[in-house]
Amino acid sequence: MKPEQLSDALNHLPDDLLQEAEQSRQRRHRRPGWQRWGALAACLALAALAGSRLLPWQTTPRPGDSPRPGSSGPSQPQPGGQLPLLTIGGESTNSRGFEGYLALDISELGGANPWTEEAEVASLPVYQNPLTYNEQHQAQGADWEQMRALLLRVAGELGLDTDALTVTDNAPDESYQQAIRDKFAAVGDAVPEGYFDPTALTIQGEGVQVEVDQTLTATIRFEPPVALPPELNFTHYASREEKKAAADWLAERYSGLLSGMEKPVLDQGMGDRNIYSQQSFDVEYYDGAGSLEEQMVSYSFYRTAFYCDDNGELFLARVYAPDLSQKLGDYPIITAEAARELLLAGHYATSVPCALPGEESIAKVELVYRAGTYEQVWLPYYRFLAELPKELGPADPALKDYGAYYVPAVEGKYIANMPTYDGGFN
C-alpha cells in the first residue's frame, strides 16, 4: 500500500474501528525509555496503525520471512564450532522517537541493573529472535503451543480454573473484516494477505482477562481495576518509597506471578521525570538469583510488571517470557573502558537526533541487552547516557536531558559491521 493510499484509508476509517484497532495493539512492550515525539511523528504512527493489523513497535522483532531492512542477524555458523558473526542492524527498539531521560541530575537515574562497573563479565549469551516480520509487520514463526502454555500458566498463577475456561484467539469477526475490506476498496487497494490472522490467545475469567501475544508477553487486564489499601499510594507520580510500599503489597497479593523467581528483585526503573519535572517509578520484578550472567538475562528478558491507572488502582500487569531457546553462543565481552573508546571513535547506535556531544557529556554507563521486538538478534550493549544540549531538552532550565548511545559489548571480531554513527536515527 502506497503512503498516499494509506493516508486516504485512514481518513475513511470510522472512529470506532480506529479505536478498536488501537486497543488490539495495546500489548507492547517492555520498558521503553522516556521518549519525546513531535506532532508529525505521532501522526505518522497513527497512520501506520491503520495500515497494518500488527504493529509491535518497540521496545524491541524476529525470523520466518526475509529480515526487515535494518534488522540485525547472524551470518551462517562458522566451521569448527566457532561462534557465528553478528550483523548489527540500524533499527532500534522504537524508531518513532528518541530515547532520552530527564532528571535534575544523573544521580536520579537509577534502576536495579545487577551489573556494575566493578563487575567482571567474561562472556554473555546471544540469542536469535524466533520471530520475524514481513512488509506488513505481521509476525512469522510464532509458537502457538508456547503461547497457549504461557496463557494457561499465568491464568493458573492468578487462581483461575483453567479447565473451566475457554481459550480464544483475537481473529476479528466477519463484520469487522468486511468493514475493513470496504475501506481498502474505497482507495482502490486490497487487504494484505494475512491481515486478519489472529495474533494472540485469550482467557476471560471473573474480573480478569489474560492475553498472550506472539512475543510471549502475557497481558493481564483487571476488570474492574483493583483498589489498593487506602494507606498505599500507587499513583503515577508516587514517591520511590510510596511505590515500594505498593510493590510489596502487590508482590504478596499476586505472589503466584512471582512464583517462578527464586529471589524476586524490585526494579523501580530509571526514575526519570516528565517535562513538568514530575518523577515516576516503575513496579517490575526480575529474578536476582544465580550468577551475574543469569541475573542479567532475567533482568533483560524475564520480568513481571504492575501498572496503575489514573486513579491509582491496578488495571494491568504483564509477564514477559520470550523464547530464548535459539542461543547462538556465549560471546566474549569487552570492558566498559574499551566500549568508551569505541563510543568516542563514533562506533555507536543511537536514536538521539545529534552526535555524542563530547567526552565530557558522558554521565553514566550500563551493560544491557537491546531486547526489542524488531531486533533479529538479542545481544548485549553498553548503554552510555550523555547530557544533551539544552536546545534538545525541555524549557525548564533545572532539568537535564540525557540521551542513550549504544556500543556493542561483544568483541569486535564477532561483529560483521561495527556500527558507525552517520548522522541519522538508528
Side-chain angles (χ1 to χ4, degrees), residues 256 350 413:
T350 186
K413 68 179 181 180

Side-chain angles (χ1 to χ4, degrees), residues 350-411:
T350 186
S351 58
V352 178
C354 74
L356 181 75
E359 184 173 9
E360 69 285 350
S361 69
I362 301 172
K364 184 180 178 71
V365 61
E366 287 187 288
L367 183 58
V368 299
Y369 278 85
R370 278 174 56 149
T373 304
Y374 291 108
E375 301 284 346
Q376 199 175 7
V377 170
W378 293 320
L379 69 155
Y381 286 78
Y382 284 101
R383 178 174 67 182
F384 291 87
L385 295 184
E387 186 173 348
L388 301 179
K390 283 295 184 182
E391 55 266 25
L392 290 179
D396 187 345
L399 289 175
K400 297 178 180 180
D401 197 1
Y402 297 94
Y405 296 80
Y406 288 87
V407 174
V410 171
E411 281 189 7

Side-chain angles (χ1 to χ4, degrees), residues 80-338:
Q82 297 179 18
L83 294 170
L85 288 175
L86 305 174
T87 301
I88 305 299
E91 185 165 35
S92 68
T93 57
N94 190 318
S95 59
R96 297 176 297 167
F98 78 90
E99 182 182 358
Y101 304 87
L102 295 177
L104 297 176
D105 185 74
I106 192 63
S107 61
E108 284 193 323
L109 301 179
N113 191 335
W115 180 85
T116 65
E117 291 192 61
E118 292 73 35
E120 296 183 3
V121 180
S123 64
L124 283 174
V126 173
Y127 305 97
Q128 176 79 40
N129 187 332
L131 297 180
T132 55
Y133 289 87
N134 61 21
E135 292 182 355
Q136 284 73 44
H137 305 282
Q138 296 164 320
Q140 312 293 315
D143 189 327
W144 290 84
E145 287 303 315
Q146 283 193 60
M147 291 167 61
R148 182 183 178 87
L150 178 60
L151 180 72
L152 295 176
R153 190 198 92 192
V154 171
E157 290 171 347
L158 290 167
L160 300 180
D161 183 357
T162 56
D163 293 330
L165 298 174
T166 302
V167 176
T168 60
D169 63 42
N170 66 339
D173 60 29
E174 181 56 36
S175 62
Y176 179 95
Q177 293 186 33
Q178 188 57 53
I180 295 297
R181 292 191 193 98
D182 291 344
K183 299 307 175 184
F184 273 83
V187 294
D189 208 345
V191 176
E193 182 180 357
Y195 187 88
F196 299 121
D197 290 347
T199 62
L201 297 175
T202 303
I203 273 184
Q204 182 71 52
E206 183 177 356
V208 65
Q209 179 197 73
V210 184
E211 178 185 86
V212 171
D213 68 13
Q214 294 162 301
T215 69
L216 294 177
T217 297
T219 298
I220 304 159
R221 295 180 176 87
F222 297 93
E223 304 165 341
V226 177
L228 276 65
E231 66 272 15
L232 296 178
N233 185 356
F234 187 47
T235 56
H236 295 301
Y237 304 114
S239 69
R240 184 187 297 273
E241 294 74 20
E242 290 171 328
K243 276 288 182 72
K244 170 65 167 60
D248 291 342
W249 185 89
L250 290 166
E252 181 177 356
R253 171 75 177 268
Y254 298 100
S255 58
L257 297 178
L258 306 180
S259 59
M261 300 181 185
E262 182 180 340
K263 182 183 177 182
V265 174
L266 173 64
D267 183 10
Q268 295 188 269
M270 296 291 281
D272 55 321
R273 297 173 181 269
N274 62 20
I275 59 174
Y276 307 106
S277 198
Q278 295 168 306
Q279 193 172 21
S280 60
F281 298 94
D282 300 333
V283 175
E284 299 194 15
Y285 286 90
Y286 73 93
D287 193 353
S291 66
L292 175 59
E293 289 78 7
E294 291 171 326
Q295 292 179 47
M296 290 192 63
V297 170
S298 178
Y299 170 78
S300 299
F301 295 101
Y302 299 130
R303 302 170 71 96
T304 297
F306 299 92
Y307 305 93
C308 66
D309 63 13
D310 291 340
N311 297 317
E313 297 179 332
L314 174 67
F315 86 106
L316 192 75
R318 284 196 172 102
V319 175
Y320 298 95
D323 180 3
L324 300 185
S325 62
Q326 298 184 30
K327 180 178 174 180
L328 297 175
D330 293 310
Y331 282 73
I333 299 301
I334 64 176
T335 64
E337 290 76 12

